[in-house]
């Protein structure tokens, strides 16, 4: 089939790569260069352990404090509040222990095979050096503090995630730079990360192009249909691309296109920020998650990346880079010898669903249109496994992961 893949982020690119392995002819549609939207500046963690949703039991108790601090880990721009309150309430409805257990079980199935799903794509694109499996350290100021997160950690363990307690001495020998502030850790030895998320997307995309994919550098605006079949994708230049099938993987911008295919989904964006410190003076070997501070730190090819925060302000408001600077100040507190002279900052739009589950499945009103977006905080992790599963759907093969929890019709 000739399949148009709308969106060249990690999800669209991995999906195209898996479809191409099945012999389909691919045309990418995207006005931007590949890997330049949310897949550009994320923290790059590839974590089979990352199966917990954003809305956790009891989280609502901490939300008022967070909201009062405009530079805190979660903020809502007041002008945007009326639009987002129903969505936040829906997220809270998914944060009971029963719901979190259901969601984590579903996410874990998509996360467990992530390296199996990335490896063939990376090998084919000669990009294996962009991924390493050095593990992730979740770190805390004390063992007692870590106990506050024990329910979630135990849930991960019950789902088969390997997580090893690390006492202060061992922590300091694993990561001498953590000395001082952190006295307890939990090591997820099976986790990995990418040295450069954007370069990873570009490498996979370049391989698809070398294998004969086409690339229309325009925005998709709509579809032409004959009954329940999409026959063409229309683009902002007024042109049409005739297709046998289409995948919508336009990240945080997917809702309007999905609605045109009959699937109305509550897609919202949680904006996140990073600061990359180019000569950090730190020698971290693992991805480090400072749990109490909601800060992810990852040593990358271009420097040490500090990433995190959630800001509800929609797709159009300009970035508020004070939030990135707050990450830098936090980094300096946690790592006093961090050299912050050379930095760059960035904001990206995470595509998020209120239940923290992506949307993966056939669109409601079209036989030959599939949706793959809404991966929230874990799109790098789940890009390749999503692509593999979409290829199964397109081929009419049984999927390897139960996709029922990700159905576009669940809302
Ligand atoms: C600060 C931060 C840290 C993060 N850390 C991690 C992490 O460590 N690990 C992890 O797994 N995830 C992480 N994430 C999340 C991850 O970055 C996202 O889930 C992922 O990048 C989403 O990929 P995507 O392909 O769906 O969307 P995107 O990368 O945003 O790509 C969407 C593409 O669709 C295109 N598009 C939009 N509209 C149209 C249209 N109408 N027509 C054609 N094309 C269109 C856009 O131009 C874009 O290229 C983080 C995110 C942030 C913000």
């Amino acid at each position: 089939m000739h399949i148009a893949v709308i969106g060249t982020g990690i999800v669209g690119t991995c999906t195209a790569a898996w479809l191409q392995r099945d012999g389909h002819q691919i045309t990418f549609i995207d006005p931007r260069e590949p890997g330049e939207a949310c897949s550009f500046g994320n923290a790059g963690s590839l974590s089979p352990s990352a199966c917990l949703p954003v809305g956790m039991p009891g989280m609502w108790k901490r939300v008022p404090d967070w909201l009062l601090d405009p530079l805190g880990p979660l903020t809502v721009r007041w002008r945007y509040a009326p639009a987002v309150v129903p969505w936040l309430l829906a997220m809270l409805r998914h944060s009971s222990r029963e719901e979190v257990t259901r969601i984590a079980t579903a996410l874990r199935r998509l996360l467990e095979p992530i390296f199996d799903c990335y490896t063939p794509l990376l090998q084919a694109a000669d990009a294996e050096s962009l991924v390493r499996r050095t593990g992730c350290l979740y770190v805390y100021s004390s063992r007692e503090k870590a106990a506050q997160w024990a329910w979630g950690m135990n849930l991960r363990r019950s789902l088969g995630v390997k997580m090893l307690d690390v006492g202060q001495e061992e922590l300091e020998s694993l990561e001498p730079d953590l000395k001082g502030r952190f006295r307890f850790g939990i090591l997820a030895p099976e986790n990995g990360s990418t040295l450069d998320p954007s370069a990873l997307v570009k490498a996979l995309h370049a391989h698809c192009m070398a294998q004969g994919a086409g690339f229309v550098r325009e925005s998709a605006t709509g579809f032409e249909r004959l009954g329940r079949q999409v026959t063409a994708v229309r683009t902002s230049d007024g042109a049409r691309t005739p297709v046998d099938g289409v995948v919508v993987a336009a990240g945080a911008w997917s809702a309007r296109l999905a609605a045109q295919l009959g699937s109305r989904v509550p897609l919202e964006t949680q904006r996140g920020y990073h600061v990359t410190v180019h000569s950090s003076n730190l020698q971290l070997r693992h991805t480090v998650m400072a749990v109490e501070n909601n800060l992810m730190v990852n040593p990358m090819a271009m420097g040490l990346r500090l990433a995190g925060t959630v800001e509800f302000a929609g797709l159009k408001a300009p970035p508020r880079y004070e939030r990135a600077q707050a990450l830098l100040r936090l980094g300096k507190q946690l790592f006093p010898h961090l050299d912050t002279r050379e930095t760059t900052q960035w904001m990206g739009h995470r595509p998020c669903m209120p239940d923290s589950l992506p949307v993966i499945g056939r669109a409601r009103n079209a036989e030959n249109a599939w949706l793959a977006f809404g991966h929230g905080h874990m799109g790098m992790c789940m890009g390749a496994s999503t692509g593999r599963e979409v290829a199964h759907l397109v081929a009419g093969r049984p999927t390897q992961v139960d996709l029922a929890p990700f159905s576009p019709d669940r809302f």
Side-chain angles (χ1 to χ4, degrees):
M1 293 196 337
H2 175 215
I3 300 180
V5 175
I6 302 175
T8 58
I10 190 67
V11 177
T13 304
C14 288
T15 301
W18 275 105
L19 287 169
Q20 211 175 35
R21 293 171 79 83
D22 274 349
H24 300 294
Q25 169 66 36
I26 301 298
T27 297
F28 290 103
I29 301 181
D30 196 321
R32 295 198 224 203
E33 291 295 314
E36 291 287 322
C38 196
S39 303
F40 176 84
N42 55 68
S45 93
L46 303 174
S47 311
S49 68
C51 57
L52 300 184
V54 176
M56 288 294 286
M59 191 185 81
W60 60 271
K61 290 185 212 148
R62 303 167 70 200
V63 171
D65 274 354
W66 285 341
L67 291 182
L68 289 174
D69 176 2
L71 299 181
L74 185 151
T75 189
V76 179
R77 291 234 195 136
W78 291 115
R79 235 186 255 171
Y80 195 63
V84 81
V85 164
W87 192 95
L88 288 171
L89 292 174
M91 185 176 91
L92 287 180
R93 279 198 295 280
H94 289 290
S95 67
S96 66
R97 287 193 174 204
E98 297 71 36
E99 263 301 90
V100 169
T101 304
R102 177 186 74 83
I103 292 164
T105 306
L107 286 175
R108 173 70 180 150
R109 293 197 183 119
L110 210 50
L111 288 165
E112 200 173 1
I114 61 181
F115 294 106
D116 292 345
C117 295
Y118 265 118
T119 300
L121 307 187
L122 295 169
Q123 278 173 349
D126 199 13
E128 286 166 286
S129 62
L130 287 171
V131 169
R132 65 191 159 196
R133 291 190 71 179
T134 42
C136 173
L137 269 170
Y138 295 80
V139 295
Y140 306 84
S141 55
S142 68
R143 193 182 279 269
E144 294 69 40
K145 269 280 175 200
Q148 290 179 17
W149 282 267
W151 185 80
M153 283 296 171
N154 289 335
L155 176 57
R156 295 184 214 243
R157 288 186 172 110
S158 73
L159 294 169
V161 179
K162 202 185 237 183
M163 305 214 78
L164 311 170
D165 286 4
V166 179
Q168 184 172 355
E169 220 170 282
E170 195 190 342
L171 185 62
E172 289 176 3
S173 84
L174 279 176
E175 285 292 7
D177 282 319
L178 296 177
K179 208 167 177 162
R181 198 81 188 194
F182 301 105
R183 298 186 185 87
F184 181 69
I186 297 178
L187 174 67
E190 289 164 353
N191 285 16
S193 70
T194 172
L195 293 163
D196 186 336
S198 181
L200 176 61
V201 178
K202 287 182 194 327
L204 298 179
H205 184 269
H207 182 67
C208 289
M209 295 298 287
Q211 297 296 303
F215 192 177
V216 175
R217 290 165 189 261
E218 297 287 339
S219 285
T221 53
F223 306 96
E224 289 177 14
R225 282 197 281 174
L226 203 58
R228 290 177 61 79
Q229 293 290 317
V230 173
T231 54
V233 180
R234 286 196 303 269
T235 42
S236 43
D237 56 349
R240 59 190 293 280
T241 302
V243 294
D244 304 314
V246 62
V247 178
V248 177
W253 298 269
S254 300
R256 204 171 40 85
L257 293 167
Q260 291 187 50
L261 298 166
S263 296
R264 293 194 182 279
V265 295
L267 179 66
E268 182 50 71
T269 180
Q270 293 181 17
R271 298 147 56 112
Y273 290 79
H274 88 213
V275 174
T276 303
V277 183
H278 295 285
S279 310
S280 69
N281 194 29
L282 261 61
Q283 311 289 330
L284 293 179
R285 300 171 204 140
H286 303 79
T287 309
V288 172
M289 179 68 203
V291 179
E292 291 156 71
N293 313 91
N294 292 297
L295 178 72
M296 179 139 246
V297 185
N298 196 11
M300 289 189 165
M302 71 304 277
L304 189 73
R305 182 161 289 173
L306 290 79
T309 92
V310 167
E311 178 187 48
F312 290 94
L315 290 168
K316 296 201 175 107
R320 185 178 279 168
Y321 281 119
E322 297 94 302
R323 293 182 68 71
Q325 290 308 309
L327 289 176
L328 189 61
R329 279 196 299 281
L330 184 57
K332 191 80 187 153
Q333 274 170 33
L334 300 177
F335 307 102
H337 54 297
L338 183 68
D339 181 341
T340 57
R341 278 175 297 180
E342 253 185 81
T343 63
T344 47
Q345 55 190 3
W346 170 88
M347 184 273 286
H349 294 98
R350 300 185 189 94
C352 296
M353 310 309 296
D355 55 8
S356 296
L357 295 168
V359 169
I360 306 171
R362 194 194 297 266
R364 188 186 281 268
N365 289 348
E367 299 292 340
N368 61 341
W370 292 270
L371 309 178
F373 57 79
H375 293 71
H377 293 234
M378 274 100 69
M380 291 306 293
C381 299
M382 295 190 281
S385 48
T386 297
R388 183 188 73 179
E389 296 305 306
V390 172
H392 288 324
L393 289 177
V394 171
R397 293 188 294 261
T399 56
Q400 279 166 267
V401 170
D402 173 16
L403 293 182
F406 310 111
S407 165
D409 300 332
R410 69 185 187 270
F411 302 102

